[in-house]
Amino acid sequence: MTITARAFHLVSRPQGEPSEDNFRLVTSTLPDPGPGEIAVRNLAISVDPYMRGRMRDAASYAAPWQLDQPAQGGAVGEVIASGSDQVPVGSLVVHNLGWRDYAVLPADQAAVVPRQDGVSPTLYLGALGMTGRTAYVGLLRIASFKPGDIVFVSGAAGAVGSMVGQFAKLSGARQVIGSAGSPAKIDYLRDVLGFDSVFDYHDGPAAELLAQAAPDGVDVFFDNVGGEQLEAAIGRMNLHGRIAICGSISNYNKEQPEPGPRNLGLFISSRLTMTGFLVGDHSDIADEFTRTVGGWYASGQLVARETVVHGLENTPAAFIGMLKGDNTGKMIIKLD
Amino acid sequence: MTITARAFHLVSRPQGEPSEDNFRLVTSTLPDPGPGEIAVRNLAISVDPYMRGRMRDAASYAAPWQLDQPAQGGAVGEVIASGSDQVPVGSLVVHNLGWRDYAVLPADQAAVVPRQDGVSPTLYLGALGMTGRTAYVGLLRIASFKPGDIVFVSGAAGAVGSMVGQFAKLSGARQVIGSAGSPAKIDYLRDVLGFDSVFDYHDGPAAELLAQAAPDGVDVFFDNVGGEQLEAAIGRMNLHGRIAICGSISNYNKEQPEPGPRNLGLFISSRLTMTGFLVGDHSDIADEFTRTVGGWYASGQLVARETVVHGLENTPAAFIGMLKGDNTGKMIIKLD
């Protein structure tokens, strides 16, 4: 059987905000998997903020996407042909060859995930996958969350942020504060996810909004946004406060780096610590994560809303929209 | 016996750089110590960068100095009258009522230190006192120094910085890099203290100077200076690098806070951590510190140069000069 596969290639690097012109959908014939390889039909693919960094031609933790080559990213799919005894046809797998509908890859670069009633495969890209694990590692390991802490998360309605807030509530936070960028997101955080205090960052200086939302200060700040909200959080941190730096989406489309917070002097007087992290360094937490977060989900305690876009051809638009905050929860492109 | 005591009062708060006009030397009759109190003749007093913060009328970790009241700070002196069995006349004590020649205070607010041949009492303000302990805590506990690390310290010829560099060398650093602000200090760091690589921050952009001095990057940055050198260090940190924020002397005389580093994005890609600290939180390290650093000093491995000013009346000038970098090593005012 000959399969015509489609994949988005990066064809130019954006200045500032990306546009659909930076991508081109390219068709090719899917090769048969060789020994040890699998062929996968992707069911859903992920677009994530960190991909903006991969569009730049600059060394970073993830190699830049090459021009005129397929883009990459998280995907979940079904094995349709296999040269590996370990991963038979029909397996559900998560892998990193997204931005395309079919992929052939070494079986050892795919993780087999269970098919479960009530668990959409897309959750393995979100709450039960890298997104959820990022939230879990950042909150519990990097920021050393402990019950009774007051937690502030920026970008709280996003894929990672919405998990951070819920994990904090479920783990015994004294107060969970979230910021987001629209009235609908604010309502969602408060009414659906149960955040204790929320603000729309458009409504005034972040320092003032956070002061109102966090009258007793902040013990843990989980930062997805950077910029003004980072400075506001530093200004509000309690003694021995911990900041986990997960992302800085307010800066990703900027060509020139912005100055940083003016209040780093508070690091000394308040004995603050700030740590950047990547989830990939923490694969040893996988079992604990699956047990804990999978348990929360199975018992109905976790809301895992997705913003779903249908059709591979809409992936660039979904990515560009996600960078602007079009999504609530995880942005998913479904291919079926 | 009636003793006329002299103490510097803060009489106005500086805008920008302090001046001698901000202080006034006030005389009074020293009271007799009551029960549980001691009277101390100060032999030497300390001026330190953090005191600039205490001149501001703003809450911080140390309460602001009150106007028309004696300033405070580290001092070492001899007990001349005692209402305490624990601290008899003749004891050598370290306490916090500096900026004066005589003080009466509760005995439990003074630490008795040993009189030892070859150990000047001033060392209990410097290498063997708060200064040395600050360097020790910051390097070993906050920045988690381990043998083989490449260490960069800013303000390396200062009281704390000169200890950090030596402690790192003595503890097995792979390379120790220091910055300072004059050719004489640079010579001192390289030729006397044995730093591996040094630069004068006046000689160009800090990022370029540090790149030349640290071709293999930096694992531990001990920051006394802030500003441009902090940004340069962040830009040069190796994977999992640790930054201990001890001070930010480049900012202390500024009325408006400066923007922070533009490269905080590197916290994520390089998985950096940055922690501010105060030595006062780490009193449990005292025994280890005294054993280790006292041992280094006793065996002649530690250089503890002081910049000595004579006479209480010269304390404000010494303080103002210290903020400008007039000192190499610890700035001490001797009163005898």
Side-chain angles (χ1 to χ4, degrees):
Chain A
M1 181 181 68
T2 299
I3 291 176
T4 299
R6 297 179 301 158
F8 273 103
H9 289 206
L10 184 69
V11 295
S12 60
R13 300 193 186 278
Q15 301 288 316
E17 192 178 302
S19 74
E20 297 196 41
D21 292 343
N22 297 128
F23 297 93
R24 183 179 305 145
L25 193 55
V26 176
T27 59
S28 64
T29 299
L30 192 72
D32 290 327
E37 292 186 330
I38 54 176
V40 179
R41 179 175 67 87
N42 284 335
L43 302 173
I45 61 180
S46 179
V47 287
D48 300 281
Y50 79 88
M51 292 171 175
R52 180 64 183 84
R54 300 196 69 181
M55 300 184 82
R56 292 181 203 277
D57 187 18
S60 185
Y61 57 89
W65 286 337
Q66 298 299 302
L67 289 181
D68 300 314
Q69 295 292 325
Q72 299 179 331
V76 60
E78 187 172 55
V79 176
I80 56 169
S82 178
S84 163
D85 292 343
Q86 310 299 315
V87 186
V89 169
S91 301
L92 191 64
V93 293
V94 172
H95 62 91
N96 202 43
L97 295 186
W99 291 81
R100 68 197 81 184
D101 51 8
Y102 290 90
V104 171
L105 68 154
D108 62 8
Q109 292 178 16
V112 177
V113 291
R115 295 178 187 269
Q116 294 175 273
D117 284 345
V119 178
S120 159
T122 59
L123 287 173
Y124 296 115
L125 301 178
L128 304 182
M130 190 189 75
T131 297
R133 200 190 289 183
T134 299
Y136 192 86
V137 164
L139 181 70
L140 292 159
R141 183 171 280 187
I142 304 299
S144 303
F145 170 88
K146 55 185 191 308
D149 278 342
I150 299 173
V151 176
F152 169 45
V153 54
S154 61
V160 171
S162 58
M163 290 299 125
V164 171
Q166 292 184 86
F167 294 173
K169 291 287 288 182
L170 288 164
S171 302
R174 175 174 156 205
Q175 187 194 12
V176 175
I177 301 138
S179 66
S182 76
K185 289 180 179 179
I186 292 299
D187 290 346
Y188 171 69
L189 293 177
R190 189 184 46 231
D191 301 337
V192 180
L193 299 190
F195 277 58
D196 301 296
S197 192
V198 289
F199 65 87
D200 186 327
Y201 64 83
H202 298 101
D203 286 349
E208 293 177 19
L209 297 168
L210 181 59
Q212 290 166 15
D216 296 322
V218 172
D219 300 306
V220 164
F221 174 46
F222 190 110
D223 192 17
N224 295 304
V225 172
E228 188 194 1
Q229 292 195 60
L230 173 57
E231 182 173 285
I234 291 171
R236 202 70 198 156
M237 296 303 288
N238 291 331
L239 208 59
H240 300 295
R242 291 91 66 199
I243 300 173
I245 303 286
C246 178
S248 184
I249 200 166
S250 70
N251 291 307
Y252 289 168
N253 280 339
K254 291 179 179 158
E255 288 301 307
Q256 293 300 323
E258 298 277 299
R262 291 165 293 182
N263 52 1
L264 293 186
L266 293 172
F267 269 73
I268 299 176
S269 51
S270 300
R271 289 82 132 183
L272 306 182
T273 192
M274 177 168 89
T275 305
F277 73 102
L278 291 174
V279 66
D281 293 338
H282 300 273
S283 53
D284 61 301
I285 214 167
D287 289 348
E288 175 189 328
F289 166 75
T290 299
R291 196 169 57 242
T292 304
V293 178
W296 284 333
Y297 186 78
S299 63
Q301 297 179 274
L302 199 64
V303 177
R305 185 177 292 192
E306 297 169 343
T307 298
V308 177
V309 169
H310 291 274
L312 178 68
E313 62 279 11
N314 294 315
T315 306
F319 171 63
I320 293 163
M322 180 274 304
L323 287 174
K324 293 185 204 170
D326 286 353
N327 56 307
T328 296
K330 178 73 178 175
M331 178 73 96
I332 291 285
I333 297 93
K334 280 195 174 171
L335 305 187
D336 52 356
Chain B
M1 181 180 67
T2 299
I3 292 176
T4 300
R6 297 179 302 158
F8 273 103
H9 289 206
L10 183 69
V11 296
S12 61
R13 301 194 186 277
Q15 300 289 316
E17 194 178 300
S19 75
E20 298 197 41
D21 293 343
N22 297 128
F23 297 94
R24 184 179 304 145
L25 192 56
V26 175
T27 60
S28 64
T29 299
L30 192 72
D32 291 327
E37 291 187 328
I38 54 175
V40 179
R41 179 173 68 88
N42 284 336
L43 301 173
I45 60 180
S46 178
V47 287
D48 301 281
Y50 79 88
M51 293 171 174
R52 180 64 184 82
R54 299 195 69 181
M55 300 184 81
R56 293 181 203 277
D57 188 19
S60 185
Y61 56 90
W65 286 336
Q66 297 300 303
L67 288 181
D68 300 315
Q69 295 292 324
Q72 298 178 331
V76 61
E78 187 173 55
V79 176
I80 56 169
S82 178
S84 162
D85 293 343
Q86 310 300 314
V87 185
V89 169
S91 300
L92 191 64
V93 293
V94 172
H95 62 93
N96 203 41
L97 296 186
W99 291 82
R100 70 197 80 183
D101 50 8
Y102 290 90
V104 170
L105 67 155
D108 61 8
Q109 292 178 17
V112 177
V113 290
R115 294 177 188 271
Q116 294 175 273
D117 285 344
V119 178
S120 159
T122 57
L123 286 173
Y124 295 115
L125 301 178
L128 304 182
M130 190 190 74
T131 297
R133 201 190 288 183
T134 299
Y136 192 86
V137 164
L139 181 69
L140 292 159
R141 184 171 280 187
I142 303 299
S144 303
F145 170 87
K146 56 185 190 307
D149 277 343
I150 299 173
V151 176
F152 170 44
V153 53
S154 61
V160 171
S162 58
M163 291 298 125
V164 171
Q166 293 183 86
F167 294 173
K169 291 287 287 183
L170 289 164
S171 302
R174 175 174 156 204
Q175 186 194 12
V176 175
I177 301 138
S179 66
S182 76
K185 289 181 178 178
I186 292 299
D187 290 346
Y188 170 69
L189 292 177
R190 189 183 48 230
D191 301 337
V192 180
L193 300 190
F195 276 60
D196 301 296
S197 192
V198 289
F199 65 87
D200 185 327
Y201 64 83
H202 298 100
D203 286 349
E208 291 176 21
L209 297 168
L210 181 59
Q212 289 167 16
D216 296 323
V218 172
D219 300 305
V220 165
F221 175 45
F222 190 110
D223 192 17
N224 296 303
V225 172
E228 188 195 1
Q229 292 195 62
L230 172 58
E231 182 173 285
I234 292 170
R236 203 68 198 157
M237 296 304 286
N238 291 330
L239 206 60
H240 300 296
R242 292 90 67 199
I243 300 173
I245 303 285
C246 178
S248 184
I249 199 166
S250 70
N251 292 308
Y252 288 168
N253 280 338
K254 290 179 178 157
E255 289 301 307
Q256 293 299 324
E258 298 278 299
R262 291 164 295 183
N263 52 1
L264 294 186
L266 292 172
F267 270 71
I268 299 174
S269 51
S270 299
R271 289 81 133 184
L272 305 182
T273 191
M274 178 168 88
T275 305
F277 73 102
L278 291 175
V279 65
D281 294 337
H282 300 273
S283 52
D284 61 300
I285 213 168
D287 289 347
E288 175 188 329
F289 167 74
T290 299
R291 197 168 57 242
T292 305
V293 178
W296 285 332
Y297 187 78
S299 63
Q301 296 178 275
L302 199 64
V303 176
R305 186 176 290 190
E306 296 169 342
T307 297
V308 176
V309 168
H310 291 275
L312 179 67
E313 62 278 12
N314 295 315
T315 307
F319 170 64
I320 293 163
M322 180 274 304
L323 287 174
K324 293 184 203 169
D326 286 353
N327 56 307
T328 297
K330 178 74 178 175
M331 178 72 96
I332 291 285
I333 296 93
K334 281 196 174 171
L335 306 186
D336 50 356

